[in-house]
């Protein structure tokens, strides 16, 4: 593979202005992440201390192998929901190393509303367990939850992907032979009692841990029976009478040590073999990504400059370099693993859509994982392109993406609009992991286009009624739409709603993808099989 020849002028005024802008965005991201991870009201921290409980971050520090990376997922989930009072959606999920094994961690955060499950807590947990299923990752549950947040029960209980899906996913993991260990550090009440009960192993802390379908107040209200917490569902009862729990522990430290020892007994998975070579740092400095990304979401840039700062040695074998030039396709290595890359250099035309579909087929045939780097306004529209079959050719690319069997990974680098999001493996198309960059935006169309479209519809409607709108009236239609689109197409809205697996500082992307690739290789690749391509 040849090294990409960068044409970036790092001394230009544009580069310096972009770099300053994007460094500021990265600093803002890190501050938001810090606050979500560590800022809590003093009364909540004092309550934990009085109960001899650690914070969720202290628990993670004891659980994970020292000096190993932890790929935290959806750190800023719920950052724009519930008045900002449920940081990280009241739980921490991610991929880390425990006793030398890759595991998925699912940890309740008792410093946020007692660890109560909000709708986005459930969504984040379900997504984490989906990742465990897709990548055959053992799971460590750190359980400490006040149960479902009852005022919002209608949004977290009954539907297919609500709380029941957590327990369904645990059952599927067990069926697959993927092991789980639960550490009961606080109360596991009602449905939450099934998290340890459905795990292969569980550890419970004496004095603070408890498992029961109904706590003492509800039992008394329902049956008149009076019980203490320990009598109803405490450590000694469950480890010596009911058998619901396996290992008693005298403290959180001991419980986590037992969990680490259990994970040490897990069989190491056989990784799916793909082409690999010794990793090599990019030839070009990844920090130059800050100067590449434009401040204006509508401004184009050369995605090959991004690729050059992500992949090993900045080397890239480009496929069909002279055809369908608005879609860059080719092979590279990332942390030693061979990958195929599809990256947008403009709108998707007929030729670029066909090129993309063909390249996805090649990656599947050769068992090469695929990375999608999104900066896409959509597929080209207009009479000429419809006559050429742009809808048909776009459908071919979407078919190839949907039916791809090799692991897919997506990074929303800049814009992600319309059906272009689908063709570039957006959330609906089962990428193993999907990450955003801080300045990225996603919506069905750009804010200006949406506002103009709605204003035009309204103007035509009123014209048919014989009315003419003044510019002020047109602006009054456009401005609320603009404001709402801009708010809801931002990366922070996306990550709050868990439309991605987290926002990354661009310079951290290579490492995050390396962890994701390694995890994905726990699952064998199926043979490629496609649906109908409309010819």
């Amino acid at each position: 593979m040849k090294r990409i020849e960068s044409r970036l002028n790092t001394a230009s005024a544009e580069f310096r202005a972009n770099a300053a802008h994007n460094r500021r965005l990265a600093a803002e991201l890190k501050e938001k992440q810090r606050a979500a991870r560590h800022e809590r009201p003093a009364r909540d921290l004092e309550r934990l201390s009085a109960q001899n409980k650690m914070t969720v971050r202290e628990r993670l520090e004891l659980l994970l192998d020292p000096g190993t990376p932890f790929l935290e997922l959806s750190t800023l989930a719920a950052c724009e929901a519930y008045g900002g009072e449920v940081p990280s959606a009241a739980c921490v999920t991610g991929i880390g190393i425990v006793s030398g094994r890759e595991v998925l961690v699912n940890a309740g955060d008792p410093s946020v509303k007692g660890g109560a499950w909000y709708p986005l807590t459930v969504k984040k947990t379900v997504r984490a367990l989906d990742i465990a299923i897709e990548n055959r990752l053992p799971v460590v549950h750190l359980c400490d939850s006040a149960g479902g947040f009852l005022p919002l029960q209608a949004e977290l209980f009954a539907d297919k992907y609500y709380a029941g899906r957590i327990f369904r996913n645990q059952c599927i993991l067990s069926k697959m032979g993927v092991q789980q260990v639960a550490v009961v550090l606080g109360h596991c009440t009602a449905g939450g009692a099934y998290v340890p009960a459905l795990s292969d192993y569980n550890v419970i802390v004496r004095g603070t841990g408890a498992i029961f379908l109904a706590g003492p107040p509800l039992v008394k209200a329902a049956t008149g029976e009076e019980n203490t917490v320990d009598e109803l569902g405490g450590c000694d009862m469950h480890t010596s009478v009911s058998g619901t729990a396996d290992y008693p522990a005298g403290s959180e430290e001991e419980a986590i040590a037992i969990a680490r020892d259990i994970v040490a007994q897990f069989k190491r998975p056989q990784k799916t073999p793909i082409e690999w070579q010794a990793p090599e740092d990019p030839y070009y400095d990844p920090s130059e990504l800050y100067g590449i990304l434009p401040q204006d979401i509508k401004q184009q840039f050369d995605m090959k400059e991004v690729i050059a700062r992500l992949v090993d040695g900045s080397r890239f074998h480009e496929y069909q370099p002279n055809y369908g030039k608005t879609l860059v396709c080719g092979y590279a290595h990332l942390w030693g693993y061979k990958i195929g890359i599809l990256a947008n250099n403009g709108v998707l035309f007929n030729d670029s859509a066909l090129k993309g579909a063909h390249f996805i087929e090649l990656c599947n045939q050769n068992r090469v994982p695929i990375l999608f780097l999104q900066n896409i306004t959509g597929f080209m529209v207009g009479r000429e392109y419809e006559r050429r079959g742009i809808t048909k050719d776009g459908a071919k690319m979407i078919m190839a993406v949907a039916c791809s069997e090799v692991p897919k990974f997506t990074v929303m680098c800049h814009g992600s609009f319309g059906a272009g999001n689908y063709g570039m493996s957006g959330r609906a198309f089962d990428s193993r992991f999907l990450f955003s960059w801080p300045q990225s935006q996603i919506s069905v169309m750009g804010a200006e286009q949406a506002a103009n479209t709605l204003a035009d519809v309204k103007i035509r409607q009123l014209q048919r009624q014989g009315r003419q709108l003044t510019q002020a009236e047109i602006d009054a239609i456009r401005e609320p739409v603009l404001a709402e689109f801009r708010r809801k197409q931002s990366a922070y809205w996306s990550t709050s709603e868990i439309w991605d697996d987290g926002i990354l500082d661009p310079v951290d992307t290579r490492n995050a993808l390396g962890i994701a690739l390694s995890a994905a290789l726990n699952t064998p690749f199926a043979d490629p099989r496609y649906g109908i391509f409309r010819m």
Side-chain angles (χ1 to χ4, degrees):
M1 294 183 187
K2 292 194 303 183
R3 181 183 299 149
I4 292 173
E5 189 175 323
S6 178
R7 293 178 170 82
L8 194 65
N9 179 5
T10 58
S12 71
E14 181 182 27
F15 178 91
R16 290 197 299 270
N18 287 345
H21 173 76
N22 288 303
R23 286 182 189 278
R24 179 177 58 78
L25 294 183
E28 289 174 358
L29 169 65
K30 285 183 166 56
E31 173 54 25
K32 288 177 184 287
Q33 291 175 328
R34 185 204 62 76
R37 289 166 178 158
H38 301 293
E39 284 189 2
R40 298 292 183 272
R43 66 179 183 277
D44 291 326
L45 298 178
E46 289 164 3
R47 174 176 49 80
L48 292 184
S49 179
Q51 295 171 342
N52 293 317
K53 288 185 176 184
M54 292 185 283
T55 67
V56 69
R57 299 288 163 179
E58 291 168 335
R59 291 167 176 173
L60 286 172
E61 191 172 342
L62 285 181
L63 176 69
L64 300 169
D65 290 0
T68 58
F70 179 60
L71 178 59
E72 186 172 344
L73 304 170
S74 298
T75 306
L76 298 178
C79 68
E80 298 204 2
Y82 318 126
E85 294 184 354
V86 189
S88 295
C91 65
V92 179
T93 63
I95 297 171
I97 307 298
V98 175
S99 299
R101 277 84 173 159
E102 284 176 325
V103 303
L104 186 135
V105 178
N106 170 37
D109 187 346
S111 70
V112 181
K113 310 296 184 183
W117 288 1
Y118 281 69
L120 286 171
T121 316
V122 170
K123 185 175 182 180
K124 182 173 175 178
T125 305
V126 170
R127 171 59 186 154
L129 295 178
D130 282 342
I131 288 171
I133 290 169
E134 291 164 353
N135 300 286
R136 293 180 181 265
L137 286 168
V139 181
V140 177
H141 303 273
L142 300 182
C143 305
D144 195 347
S145 170
F149 184 67
L150 292 180
L152 297 178
Q153 65 84 25
E155 299 173 44
L156 59 81
F157 174 70
D159 206 0
K160 180 175 181 179
Y161 291 100
Y162 287 3
R165 195 73 174 186
I166 296 172
F167 315 127
R168 175 266 184 194
N169 279 0
Q170 284 192 267
C171 295
I172 296 300
L173 284 165
S174 186
K175 176 182 175 181
M176 294 167 62
V178 179
Q179 293 178 297
Q180 302 171 73
V181 56
V183 187
V184 181
L185 301 154
H187 288 192
C188 293
T189 307
Y194 292 113
V195 175
L198 289 169
S199 295
D200 300 79
Y201 304 90
N202 65 61
V203 187
I204 184 169
V205 179
R206 184 176 291 109
T208 55
I211 304 169
F212 31 53
L213 294 181
L218 184 54
V219 168
K220 183 177 180 180
T223 69
E225 192 177 276
E226 292 197 13
N227 298 278
T228 67
V229 168
D230 284 339
E231 288 171 339
L232 192 61
C235 169
D236 292 323
M237 191 283 287
H238 276 314
T239 56
S240 64
V241 179
S242 77
T244 300
D246 303 319
Y247 301 89
S251 66
E252 293 197 2
E253 291 86 350
E254 183 186 3
I256 291 171
I258 293 170
R260 284 181 50 80
D261 198 35
I262 292 169
V263 174
Q265 315 311 312
F266 290 177
K267 183 180 178 182
R268 297 178 190 273
Q270 198 72 29
K271 296 280 188 180
T272 298
I274 66 170
E275 186 178 317
W276 187 87
Q277 63 187 32
E280 184 181 349
D281 288 340
Y283 177 78
Y284 300 105
D285 184 353
S287 69
E288 291 174 350
L289 288 168
Y290 294 131
I292 294 168
L293 299 169
Q295 300 174 56
D296 184 351
I297 199 71
K298 296 190 288 291
Q299 185 177 338
Q300 281 296 318
F301 60 95
D302 187 356
M303 193 64 86
K304 280 187 271 192
E305 299 286 3
V306 170
I307 295 169
R309 287 151 183 88
L310 293 179
V311 302
D312 292 4
S314 302
R315 288 187 296 274
F316 183 60
H317 172 86
E318 188 171 359
Y319 172 71
Q320 288 191 323
N322 295 323
Y323 179 73
K325 291 185 177 183
T326 60
L327 183 66
V328 176
C329 300
Y331 300 105
H333 288 81
L334 192 146
W335 280 105
Y337 299 110
K338 185 176 181 181
I339 58 171
I341 297 175
L342 288 88
N344 301 117
N345 259 358
V347 67
L348 287 164
F349 291 94
N350 300 72
D351 53 2
S352 45
L354 292 171
K355 172 180 169 178
H358 192 176
F359 184 69
I360 291 166
E361 289 182 290
L362 291 173
C363 288
N364 274 267
Q365 184 184 64
N366 293 293
R367 305 175 74 78
V368 176
I370 304 173
L371 170 62
F372 293 85
L373 298 175
Q374 286 197 6
N375 178 31
I376 180 65
T377 56
F379 290 91
M380 190 61 193
V381 297
R383 181 172 60 185
E384 176 188 351
Y385 299 99
E386 293 293 356
R387 291 174 69 86
R388 290 187 198 174
I390 186 62
T391 302
K392 182 172 67 174
D393 293 339
K396 293 186 182 74
M397 186 173 178
I398 289 171
M399 179 71 74
V401 170
C403 297
S404 177
E405 293 289 354
V406 297
K408 305 188 295 283
F409 309 87
T410 303
V411 180
M412 295 197 294
C413 300
H414 207 51
S416 180
F417 297 106
N421 170 272
Y422 302 160
M424 291 296 293
S425 197
R427 191 62 149 179
F429 287 81
D430 298 322
S431 285
R432 297 290 183 91
F433 297 86
L434 185 150
F435 300 107
S436 302
W437 283 355
Q439 83 296 344
S440 67
Q441 296 179 12
I442 177 172
S443 61
V444 69
M445 63 178 70
E448 287 80 6
Q449 293 95 319
N452 289 338
T453 299
L454 290 176
D456 188 55
V457 169
K458 188 67 174 177
I459 290 165
R460 291 173 183 272
Q461 183 184 56
L462 292 173
Q463 282 177 340
R464 287 196 296 270
Q465 298 171 5
R467 273 198 61 193
Q468 293 292 328
L469 290 180
T470 66
Q471 188 58 48
E473 289 172 320
I474 293 171
D475 291 341
I477 295 170
R478 291 183 76 256
E479 291 307 318
V481 177
L482 271 174
E484 186 71 353
F485 259 75
R486 284 171 178 160
R487 184 170 77 94
K488 291 189 175 180
Q489 69 187 18
S490 77
Y492 288 105
W493 180 270
S494 295
T495 208
S496 178
E497 294 293 308
I498 318 179
W499 296 347
D500 62 19
D501 295 313
I503 303 177
L504 297 175
D505 182 335
V507 300
D508 294 333
T509 304
R510 172 178 162 83
N511 289 341
L513 289 172
I515 295 171
L517 269 163
S518 176
L521 296 180
N522 292 329
T523 302
F525 302 170
D527 291 331
R529 182 176 177 182
Y530 300 98
I532 300 299
F533 289 92
R534 185 175 293 276
M535 307 306 288

